[in-house]
Amino acid sequence: MQDTVHSLVWLAIGLALVNVAHSLEAQNDFRYFAQTPLSTAPTFDNEDTPWGLTTYANIPYLPCLSKRDSLKYDIAVLGAPFDTATTGRPGARFGPRAIRSGSSRIYADAAWSLYTGENVFKSNVKIVDCGDVPMTRLDNTVALKQLETGHDIINARSPVSRDLSPVPRIINLGGDHTTTLSALRAAYKKWGKLSVIHFDAHIDTWNPKVLGGDVSDYGAVNHGTFLHIAHEEGLITNSSIHAGIRAPLAHPVKDMKNDRRCGFDFVTSRDLDRFGISGIIERLKSRVGDAKIYISVDIDVLDPAYAPATGTAEPGGWTSRELLTILDGLVGLKVVGADVVEVAPAYDGAGETTGVAAAEVVHSLLYLMVKTPVAGE
């Protein structure tokens, strides 16, 4: 018993000495910082580092929607916090926040790709995060117009380098997939008709009379009809294509006939097993040719094992590695705009699986834009 008491006493003395040592070390660190000459002390005056702000990949934030004409940049990351036109689980209004959070591991100084050998953030292309477009949650028509106006403001800017593009290009962070309609409407004003490469589990060309329009004209504009509407408005070409399609259809003959009428071909998710990744890349490139391209990535193109946090998950999708490899293989296409949509973080796990995957998809889209300049009309 006495030996035990002695042992506890010595243990207490040892812990006390450790605490004293830590305290002295902390005091010495503080004294060093306080007494170090300003020329050698750490500095925090880097205007390009958004200390305390969550931006995509820790890139600079700019108030792009302000009236300051002096703001110039080449590529803008823009959030679209909107999810009131979804037919599945809600929550994609928080997608922009989740994608930015998922990108927090990415820093410009350590973003060299092992696969491409490129670092988009060290390419003399000015990439900025413009924050989110303020969008009302009470009226979808108004909200989508607000988003279109946000795109219009950015499209009216002058870029840093006109050799890359005559106007800044935008990567939209959704938001449900209806937000792509606003982006296409704005892009059409600058670029004319675009070919769309549409990564998704669903076709999204449903006739509004079948999906939503049977309820009201207001309900006809949703995340399953926006590509049909884009076709009807003359925004897209007849050389567009879906990639990763696998969701079941209510009226397969009628739905796919309408899909072709809207200008789309498709590769299914299981086509990857038949043709391989290189075959998928070739199908996509040959379909769109030399046209100007808009790439839209619904995160549900991935299997729910890799992207569980989405509103309308479908089993049997691609892995994140397969999607990223396909995207990198599209280098050389004239990508004028892009988006990543339908991330609904409420259904994600603690590891932010979906947010991290979506953030890396944005990284690949940036690579496509940086590598290939696009001339104006």
Side-chain angles (χ1 to χ4, degrees):
M1 181 67 180
Q2 189 174 6
D3 291 341
T4 302
V5 172
H6 286 166
S7 297
L8 291 173
V9 169
W10 282 112
L11 178 60
I13 293 172
L15 291 173
L17 290 173
V18 169
N19 287 334
V20 169
H22 285 172
S23 177
L24 290 173
E25 183 180 359
Q27 291 181 29
N28 288 334
D29 288 345
F30 175 77
R31 287 170 183 159
Y32 169 79
F33 184 83
Q35 296 173 4
T36 302
L38 291 178
S39 59
T40 58
T43 59
F44 305 99
D45 60 351
N46 185 351
E47 294 182 356
D48 289 335
T49 303
W51 303 109
L53 298 178
T54 302
T55 62
Y56 176 78
N58 301 287
I59 59 177
Y61 163 77
L62 280 184
C64 308
L65 305 182
S66 72
K67 297 181 179 179
R68 291 165 57 186
D69 295 332
S70 60
L71 298 178
K72 289 188 176 184
Y73 39 87
D74 296 306
I75 300 175
V77 176
L78 184 68
F82 174 88
D83 66 358
T84 46
T86 179
T87 59
R89 299 183 295 188
R93 70 180 63 175
F94 303 110
R97 183 188 306 172
I99 297 171
R100 290 185 176 107
S101 177
S103 74
S104 61
R105 75 193 194 287
I106 305 172
Y107 284 88
D109 290 337
W112 296 92
S113 171
L114 186 66
Y115 303 103
T116 66
E118 302 282 345
N119 184 342
V120 298
F121 306 108
K122 296 288 186 179
S123 57
N124 296 320
V125 174
K126 188 169 183 179
I127 306 170
V128 300
D129 192 324
C130 297
D132 292 351
V133 175
M135 301 176 69
T136 181
R137 297 171 183 174
L138 302 177
D139 189 306
N140 291 358
T141 303
V142 173
L144 293 173
K145 185 60 180 178
Q146 289 171 325
L147 180 58
E148 182 182 346
T149 300
H151 279 252
D152 288 341
I153 292 171
I154 292 174
N155 287 336
R157 303 283 190 188
S158 296
V160 174
S161 174
R162 287 191 174 274
D163 293 335
L164 185 70
S165 172
V167 297
R169 287 182 277 182
I170 302 171
I171 295 183
N172 200 65
L173 308 182
D176 78 46
H177 219 153
T178 321
T179 58
T180 300
L181 181 59
S182 296
L184 289 172
R185 285 169 170 168
Y188 173 79
K189 300 171 193 174
K190 283 293 181 182
W191 302 102
K193 283 189 175 185
L194 302 177
S195 290
V196 176
I197 299 179
H198 174 231
F199 291 89
D200 204 315
H202 312 84
I203 56 174
D204 292 350
T205 54
W206 279 286
N207 191 323
K209 294 179 181 178
V210 176
L211 184 62
D214 55 334
V215 177
S216 68
D217 291 340
Y218 182 87
V221 182
N222 59 67
H223 74 160
T225 62
F226 71 94
L227 287 175
H228 178 107
I229 295 168
H231 165 75
E232 293 296 309
E233 293 182 0
L235 308 178
I236 59 179
T237 69
N238 287 324
S239 59
S240 297
I241 187 167
H242 307 294
I245 300 300
R246 61 188 184 278
L249 303 169
H251 309 285
V253 175
K254 186 181 297 184
D255 290 342
M256 295 314 295
K257 181 179 180 180
N258 182 66
D259 189 66
R260 289 190 294 273
R261 190 183 69 82
C262 290
F264 280 85
D265 195 359
F266 65 92
V267 292
T268 68
S269 180
R270 295 186 187 183
D271 280 341
L272 188 144
D273 302 322
R274 298 174 58 199
F275 305 115
I277 287 179
S278 59
I280 298 297
I281 293 170
E282 176 58 30
R283 286 277 301 276
L284 299 180
K285 282 189 164 183
S286 62
R287 175 65 177 175
V288 298
D290 195 43
K292 292 182 174 64
I293 311 298
Y294 188 96
I295 297 180
S296 183
V297 181
D298 185 327
I299 205 64
D300 73 19
V301 72
L302 298 179
D303 189 87
Y306 300 89
T310 189
T312 48
E314 294 287 346
W318 290 338
T319 69
S320 52
R321 173 178 52 79
E322 289 164 347
L323 175 59
L324 294 170
T325 303
I326 292 169
L327 285 172
D328 287 350
L330 298 180
V331 67
L333 295 182
K334 299 175 182 177
V335 181
V336 301
D339 61 50
V340 181
V341 299
E342 298 286 359
V343 175
Y347 315 110
D348 225 350
E352 301 178 84
T353 303
T354 313
V356 170
E360 196 60 27
V361 170
V362 174
H363 200 170
S364 288
L365 294 171
L366 285 170
Y367 167 67
L368 298 181
M369 288 185 176
V370 167
K371 287 295 291 182
T372 307
V374 182
E377 291 296 329

